[in-house]
Amino acid sequence: MRIGLAGAGRIGAFHASTLAGLEDVDQVVVADAFPTVASALAEQNGYEFAVELDDLLSRVDGLVITSPTSTHAATLRAAVAAKVPTFCEKPVAATLDETLDLVDLVDEAEVPVHVGFQRRFDAGYRRAREAVMNGELGFIHTVRANTHDQSPPPAAYIPTSGGLFRDCSIHDIDVLRFVTGREVATVYAVGANKGAEFFTQGGDIDTGAAVLTLDDDTLVTLSATRYNGGGHDVRMEVMGSEGTIGVGYDDSLAVRSVEDGVDYPRGPQKWSFMERFLPAYRSELAAFCEVVGGRADSPCTVRDALQAFRVAEACELSRASGRPVAMNEIGGVR
């Protein structure tokens, strides 16, 4: 099959390399808003080059969207209109209303869309889901999840990111739904800034936390920060009546023990999300090829993306208003 790539930046180049190494993929066709960037990537790696999106869509069996967030919705609309199965990095749109419109569009068009929440393909999170679903932990009463970036993104990214909960914690929110099989009922979130001024200037926070109550009364704590100098730290703990398991607890754990005689973790640490989730990124694109080939349904739909977006919206509303927010206050129920 031939897979198109819309967006030739860092994550685009990374995905192109992964796609090119998959058995199902015969060729990668690259396009970008800056054609010279796409052309250079194609020339360096033996990919094909498309000058514009319409040309790209006419030449491929599936599309991978890795362009800036502000372009996702329009690109996805074009792909759906062309009946091209599409993988889209999160978010599918920058606003809740636009996400709702895309849900309706995809439903009507019956074109498969796979949203890039890569943690669903991480071995640890998949094992946690299995433990919950088969009753290995008894009843689940508490979940803790965190995403702590090693260092902040560029200042120019913050005004367009959607904010810490929508940009960062949304991964924890999606994988929380995946692992537990439950929906969020209420949210209480807070945030703070102790780092660079550009977070405050951009209307964002550099550190946030939230307490979520699921629809079966499971309690969840989320935390996120742009400052974790010890390494990129992404974890989940699932606590049940019969046991507790943890995701992300290996020798790369970005936490130092101060107990005598303890040398765990031994390192080395991981320093970026791409390093932390490299195998998961590969697995999710292999899964997308199964979708393109008609051998599997989308493992993460636009409706899944909508549900995660709604919870992130509730977190931001709670932080801004200083009160708990019930999910029935957030539009977009489908």
Side-chain angles (χ1 to χ4, degrees):
M1 63 181 63
R2 297 163 62 83
I3 302 295
L5 188 81
R10 183 175 67 144
I11 191 67
F14 173 73
H15 280 343
S17 176
T18 300
L19 288 164
L22 296 177
E23 184 177 349
D24 280 337
V25 178
D26 300 309
Q27 182 57 279
V28 176
V29 187
V30 184
D32 192 274
F34 298 94
T36 55
V37 175
S39 177
L41 180 64
E43 185 175 350
Q44 290 165 11
N45 295 278
Y47 310 145
E48 292 184 14
F49 165 61
V51 176
E52 57 184 18
L53 182 61
D54 287 345
D55 178 28
L56 178 67
L57 290 171
S58 70
R59 295 160 56 183
V60 298
D61 302 297
L63 177 69
V64 173
I65 299 175
T66 57
S67 53
T69 294
S70 60
T71 68
H72 286 187
T75 307
L76 182 54
R77 286 180 180 279
V80 169
K83 302 294 184 182
V84 175
T86 300
F87 175 97
C88 184
E89 282 293 353
K90 68 85 189 169
V92 295
T95 67
L96 181 59
D97 286 344
E98 201 167 20
T99 303
L100 286 166
D101 288 344
L102 285 169
V103 168
D104 293 337
L105 178 69
V106 171
D107 280 352
E108 292 171 7
E110 297 184 342
V111 176
V113 176
H114 175 178
V115 183
F117 284 106
Q118 83 283 354
R119 293 185 196 182
R120 290 176 176 237
F121 294 88
D122 176 79
Y125 285 106
R126 294 179 78 86
R127 176 66 184 91
R129 173 184 167 87
E130 178 186 347
V132 172
M133 296 304 167
N134 67 21
E136 178 182 327
L137 305 178
F139 64 82
I140 306 304
H141 54 77
T142 306
V143 180
R144 296 175 181 162
N146 65 267
T147 296
H148 297 165
D149 290 342
Q150 187 269 332
S151 59
Y157 176 73
I158 296 305
T160 62
S161 71
L164 186 67
F165 291 112
R166 298 187 192 96
D167 178 56
C168 189
S169 294
I170 198 166
H171 282 287
D172 292 300
I173 294 164
D174 176 74
V175 85
L176 172 68
R177 297 182 64 246
F178 175 75
V179 168
T180 66
R182 311 302 307 193
E183 299 293 349
V184 176
T186 62
V187 168
Y188 180 68
V190 294
N193 282 321
K194 300 180 78 173
E197 283 296 318
F198 63 71
F199 287 101
T200 303
Q201 293 165 357
D204 197 7
I205 52 176
D206 60 47
T207 302
V211 176
L212 316 180
T213 304
L214 303 188
D215 57 10
D216 66 346
D217 286 337
T218 299
L219 301 180
V220 180
T221 59
L222 301 181
S223 66
T225 186
R226 301 296 193 180
Y227 290 95
N228 197 68
H232 191 71
D233 184 17
V234 176
R235 283 177 281 147
M236 174 181 277
E237 298 170 9
V238 185
M239 306 175 193
S241 59
E242 301 299 322
T244 297
I245 57 175
V247 179
Y249 287 86
D250 59 20
D251 278 325
S252 71
L253 181 67
V255 177
R256 293 186 297 109
S257 173
V258 294
E259 302 296 337
D260 289 342
V262 176
D263 63 354
Y264 166 81
R266 297 176 179 84
Q269 281 70 38
K270 294 182 172 67
W271 301 102
S272 72
F273 65 89
M274 293 174 71
E275 184 182 5
R276 167 67 173 83
F277 290 108
L278 178 61
Y281 279 117
R282 290 171 173 163
S283 294
E284 72 172 353
L285 288 178
F288 174 60
C289 288
E290 293 292 304
V291 174
V292 175
R295 300 183 292 270
D297 295 329
S298 170
C300 187
T301 67
V302 177
R303 285 182 178 271
D304 288 318
L306 169 62
Q307 289 303 101
F309 200 110
R310 291 182 66 243
V311 177
E313 285 278 291
C315 287
E316 186 55 39
L317 175 58
S318 176
R319 180 187 76 85
S321 63
R323 63 175 179 85
V325 172
M327 286 306 302
N328 60 17
E329 297 181 52
I330 306 299
V333 178
R334 284 290 192 269

